[in-house]
Amino acid sequence: MNPSGLEALIEALRCLPGIGPKSAQRLAYHLMQHDRPGAARLGDAIQHALQAIRHCQRCNTFTELDICERCASPRRDASLLCVVETPVDMNMMEQTQAYQGLYYVLMGRISPLDGVGPRALAMDKLLARATDGMVREVILATNYTNEGEATAHYVMAMLQAHGINVTRIARGVPVGGELEFVDSGTLAQALRERRSVGAN
Amino acid sequence: MNPSGLEALIEALRCLPGIGPKSAQRLAYHLMQHDRPGAARLGDAIQHALQAIRHCQRCNTFTELDICERCASPRRDASLLCVVETPVDMNMMEQTQAYQGLYYVLMGRISPLDGVGPRALAMDKLLARATDGMVREVILATNYTNEGEATAHYVMAMLQAHGINVTRIARGVPVGGELEFVDSGTLAQALRERRSVGAN
């Protein structure tokens, strides 16, 4: 029914999470009818991002550099390594202004129901990072959801097997809640009250 | 916080209707982390569509040709012209298989609250189309919403001032409803029971 270029756009828009066939059609019509400049900007931004955005070799977050500015900064405490699920969570930690160490971003969480196991999260990269000789303490700041807890447990077991001191942010974060939606005060509290986990 | 290429992508995604800052960030992370092939397809599809998709010179729908296949077809009845709001509505009419005439797609509706007046809808193009000497009857198939009714009334007044026979699809479409969500049978009924409007 639609010209092929429009059908291709509708189909391509469905790669966005939460966008079904009807929504994709509406988005495509909107872009072609009402916002061609916006569509052009979007097309350019996607192609630029695909080319420029990669993962920091040290902390695994999104960056346009080999090593991101935070990891390269001499003002951060290289003896502390905070493990978070996503860049959003890292930004939330930064906003507390209660942490001066470095990060490792898992870019996900262990979730057997979604078929995401330890291998998909490149845990070996985290292990190499945590055993570089500088890190004295690894702070687990994954979410207090079931998946986040499972992830924390896996990371803890992996790192303690290598003799690394592992802590977990305090359960000030509401059980079942996600870091992204917690206020900075609560998160700062949880960070201060981090506790040792496992057999130590 | 984010690298500039990622910020640009997040900002660009906000051109999509219904996507706020948080959703845009999630979409951008999803594309960069989990679906780079999909993102590449989307970028290509947008740029191809921007280049290829334009409006049919006769019926105003989206097409990659000067005149779309339907308008160019010798099998359609050129004496009937059905006015609809969007390409989706045209597709719905086609699915009834109860109509063999041609279309004119307004690509919108008169909506004073949204600042959309007759000029934004290029009514002069419709007038030129309806007065080409071939058209015997113009069938108004705009939605039975307030905006669709206002649009139908405006088109009716404009065309009748030029002596054109104007009809309106029957109010079998539920009042306040939109064509896109009506079943084909109801829509076919509404088409058969179209009635003259205005002072004739």
Side-chain angles (χ1 to χ4, degrees):
Chain A
M1 285 292 201
N2 290 309
S4 65
L6 197 60
E7 277 301 330
L9 175 57
I10 292 168
E11 186 57 36
L13 281 164
R14 294 190 57 191
C15 78
L16 299 173
I19 301 297
K22 282 245 173 184
S23 299
Q25 181 164 277
R26 281 168 182 272
L27 293 180
Y29 285 171
H30 173 83
L31 291 178
M32 289 300 110
Q33 183 65 25
H34 299 296
D35 197 6
R36 287 189 173 229
R41 274 195 305 276
L42 178 56
D44 291 345
I46 288 172
Q47 298 195 329
H48 172 75
L50 282 171
Q51 204 173 37
I53 301 293
R54 48 205 153 131
H55 295 286
C56 172
Q57 290 177 7
R58 303 201 77 202
C59 75
N60 201 39
T61 195
F62 292 124
T63 179
E64 297 185 9
L65 309 165
D66 287 336
I67 293 178
C68 75
E69 288 178 27
R70 189 172 292 117
C71 284
S73 167
R75 284 195 301 278
R76 308 291 302 209
D77 181 353
S79 70
L80 291 176
L81 185 69
C82 178
V83 176
V84 293
E85 296 181 16
T86 67
V88 176
D89 296 340
M90 182 171 66
N91 291 346
M92 295 301 291
M93 293 294 290
E94 284 295 287
Q95 281 172 31
T96 68
Q97 301 188 329
Y99 182 67
Q100 290 300 316
L102 295 172
Y103 293 91
Y104 187 86
V105 183
L106 293 169
M107 291 289 178
R109 61 205 66 79
I110 291 177
S111 177
L113 288 177
D114 301 320
V116 180
R119 204 168 308 165
L121 293 180
M123 287 291 185
D124 48 343
K125 196 175 163 190
L126 167 57
L127 182 59
R129 176 71 185 85
T131 54
D132 70 347
M134 296 283 284
V135 175
R136 278 189 304 107
E137 177 182 349
V138 172
I139 303 169
L140 300 180
T142 55
N143 288 320
Y144 263 114
T145 55
N146 288 341
E147 291 89 352
E149 284 277 70
T151 307
H153 190 265
Y154 182 92
V155 172
M156 180 199 75
M158 177 181 79
L159 295 182
Q160 286 191 333
H162 288 77
I164 297 166
N165 182 29
V166 182
T167 58
R168 180 90 168 97
I169 53 169
R171 204 183 283 267
V173 179
V175 176
E178 301 188 4
L179 262 69
E180 189 174 344
F181 303 103
V182 172
D183 65 275
S184 292
T186 307
L187 200 54
Q189 181 90 2
L191 186 69
R192 275 192 296 273
E193 294 181 5
R194 66 184 183 267
R195 57 189 171 75
S196 277
V197 282
N200 58 358
Chain B
M1 285 293 203
N2 290 310
S4 65
L6 196 61
E7 275 302 329
L9 176 58
I10 292 168
E11 186 56 38
L13 281 163
R14 295 192 56 191
C15 78
L16 299 173
I19 301 297
K22 281 245 175 186
S23 300
Q25 181 164 277
R26 281 168 182 271
L27 293 180
Y29 286 171
H30 173 83
L31 291 178
M32 288 301 110
Q33 182 65 24
H34 298 296
D35 197 5
R36 286 188 175 231
R41 276 196 304 276
L42 179 56
D44 290 345
I46 289 173
Q47 298 195 328
H48 172 76
L50 282 170
Q51 202 173 38
I53 301 294
R54 48 206 154 130
H55 295 285
C56 172
Q57 290 177 8
R58 301 201 79 203
C59 76
N60 201 40
T61 195
F62 292 123
T63 180
E64 297 185 7
L65 309 164
D66 287 336
I67 293 178
C68 74
E69 287 177 30
R70 189 173 291 115
C71 284
S73 167
R75 284 194 302 276
R76 307 291 302 207
D77 181 352
S79 72
L80 291 176
L81 186 70
C82 178
V83 177
V84 293
E85 296 181 15
T86 67
V88 175
D89 295 339
M90 182 171 67
N91 291 347
M92 294 300 292
M93 294 294 290
E94 284 294 288
Q95 283 173 29
T96 69
Q97 302 188 327
Y99 182 68
Q100 292 299 319
L102 295 171
Y103 292 92
Y104 187 86
V105 183
L106 293 170
M107 290 290 178
R109 59 206 66 81
I110 292 176
S111 178
L113 287 178
D114 300 320
V116 180
R119 204 169 308 166
L121 292 179
M123 287 292 186
D124 48 344
K125 194 174 163 190
L126 168 58
L127 182 59
R129 175 70 187 85
T131 55
D132 70 347
M134 297 282 284
V135 176
R136 276 190 306 104
E137 177 183 349
V138 172
I139 303 169
L140 301 179
T142 55
N143 289 320
Y144 264 114
T145 55
N146 287 342
E147 290 89 351
E149 283 279 69
T151 307
H153 190 266
Y154 182 92
V155 172
M156 180 200 75
M158 177 180 77
L159 296 181
Q160 286 190 333
H162 289 77
I164 297 164
N165 182 28
V166 182
T167 58
R168 179 90 167 99
I169 54 169
R171 203 182 284 266
V173 180
V175 175
E178 301 189 4
L179 262 69
E180 189 175 345
F181 302 103
V182 171
D183 65 277
S184 294
T186 307
L187 199 55
Q189 181 90 3
L191 186 68
R192 277 192 295 274
E193 294 181 7
R194 65 185 184 268
R195 57 187 171 72
S196 276
V197 282
N200 58 356

